[in-house]
Amino acid sequence: MSDRMNSTTIAGPVSMCDRVRGEVARHEGVPPERLDQRLDAVIDTEALNELIAGESATVSFSYCGYDVLVSSAGVVTVDPLDR
């Protein structure tokens, strides 16, 4: 794993899943719809949105070659997997 993590806090009525897709796509330099893998292929997206809506939760998973950490504070951290 890299020593440098990138995180973004996004405010507004965007689902956490859309935030994850957007942040990974930004790192890949493509629009979210052009990502190689569907998010729902690696995580239950409904459960992610519900869990993160809780008071204090974090979820981590791998997606499209990145370690993704999502917090209920609205922070999405994306760090490239060691390749």
Side-chain angles (χ1 to χ4, degrees):
M1 218 184 311
S2 139
D3 289 11
R4 200 179 113 200
M5 295 180 85
N6 298 292
S7 65
T8 300
T9 303
I10 303 172
V14 177
S15 77
M16 189 55 72
C17 293
D18 286 342
R19 293 176 187 187
V20 168
R21 287 183 199 102
E23 187 63 14
V24 171
R26 185 179 72 80
H27 285 279
E28 288 291 297
V30 299
E33 60 273 7
R34 303 248 352 250
L35 291 171
D36 291 338
Q37 188 176 33
R38 293 176 44 102
L39 184 57
D40 60 5
V42 298
I43 192 165
D44 181 332
T45 54
E46 285 185 35
L48 175 63
N49 283 326
E50 289 176 21
L51 210 100
I52 294 302
E55 281 190 32
S56 180
T58 57
V59 177
S60 63
F61 55 94
S62 296
Y63 176 54
C64 290
Y66 295 89
D67 281 325
V68 178
L69 178 68
V70 179
S71 80
S72 56
V75 177
V76 176
T77 303
V78 174
D79 190 40
L81 291 170
D82 291 333
R83 296 179 181 190

